[in-house]
Amino acid sequence: MATLSIPQNGQALKGKNRTRKAVPSVDLTAMVDLAFLLITFFMLTTSLSKSQAMDIAKPVIDIPDQPYPASRTLTVLLGKDNSIVWYKGEMENATPRRVSFKMIGSVLAQNKKEIAKLHANDPAKFMIVIIKPTEGSTYKNFVDILDEMSIAEVKSYLIDDDSLLSQEQGFMKR
């Protein structure tokens, strides 16, 4: 039996060659291939998030083209700095009122009840809302007013961004 001599006092073996062990290496090619296969598999089998689009209600067919029935019409003007001006009926005979976005829901609900009461709750005589965004209004305000139409369950509304009357322009500047 061969005996090993252990150096004392921490001295290294002088003059004797030590065999050097090779550092073990791992070939990761198969692991990378597996990772890409799994990524590809999960990308192809998962469903991506569906795009969410808001439904815009179009006017019901029985509404005449123009002029709209003044007794059932509510016009909402979207202005700059999140301002809203609304009036009922025709501009010449109406009193425009300024309201905040927080209050527009109650305005819509109140006018919907008044119009239903005026027409003896006839389901064919529902409220028509005309939304008129001005140059100073933002897209966020437009989306917010469409949300309010949905919340208030307004059957028919339309977006009129072409015909802003001079009286309406004057009131929006105040």
Side-chain angles (χ1 to χ4, degrees):
M1 240 198 224
T3 55
L4 281 173
S5 64
I6 300 174
Q8 294 184 3
N9 298 333
Q11 296 177 352
L13 297 175
K14 293 183 182 175
K16 295 193 177 188
N17 289 337
R18 287 181 113 180
T19 56
R20 295 189 181 224
K21 293 183 180 178
V23 177
S25 64
V26 178
D27 187 18
L28 296 178
T29 307
M31 185 74 75
V32 172
D33 287 344
L34 179 65
F36 279 113
L37 283 173
L38 286 173
I39 289 171
T40 306
F41 172 75
F42 286 118
M43 284 177 53
L44 294 175
T45 57
T46 58
S47 63
L48 300 176
S49 64
K50 305 284 186 230
S51 61
Q52 295 177 351
M54 181 190 308
D55 292 332
I56 295 179
K58 296 182 176 137
V60 178
I61 297 170
D62 66 347
I63 297 175
D65 286 339
Q66 290 252 344
Y68 300 107
S71 64
R72 300 187 295 147
T73 305
L74 180 77
T75 304
V76 177
L77 306 170
L78 303 176
K80 62 181 179 180
D81 299 327
N82 299 328
S83 65
I84 296 179
V85 174
W86 67 274
Y87 62 90
K88 193 161 59 168
E90 298 173 341
M91 179 67 187
E92 296 81 23
N93 304 330
T95 305
R97 297 184 185 116
R98 190 173 297 270
V99 70
S100 67
F101 268 97
K102 292 179 182 177
M103 298 300 298
I104 193 66
S106 62
V107 168
L108 291 171
Q110 177 186 359
N111 282 297
K112 187 176 175 183
K113 286 179 185 176
E114 288 176 9
I115 289 171
K117 185 177 178 182
L118 179 68
H119 294 285
N121 291 327
D122 183 5
K125 306 280 184 173
F126 47 83
M127 179 172 71
I128 303 166
V129 179
I130 301 171
I131 301 169
K132 293 187 177 185
T134 63
E135 289 181 12
S137 65
T138 62
Y139 183 73
K140 179 187 179 304
N141 292 344
F142 180 71
V143 171
D144 289 345
I145 198 70
L146 291 180
D147 286 341
E148 290 295 333
M149 295 296 139
S150 178
I151 292 168
E153 297 177 353
V154 175
K155 286 185 182 180
S156 182
Y157 58 89
L158 59 107
I159 296 127
D160 184 8
D161 57 350
D162 295 334
S163 62
L164 197 64
L165 302 173
S166 60
Q167 293 172 333
E168 293 171 337
Q169 290 174 350
F171 194 78
M172 291 307 292
K173 291 180 181 178
R174 294 184 200 171

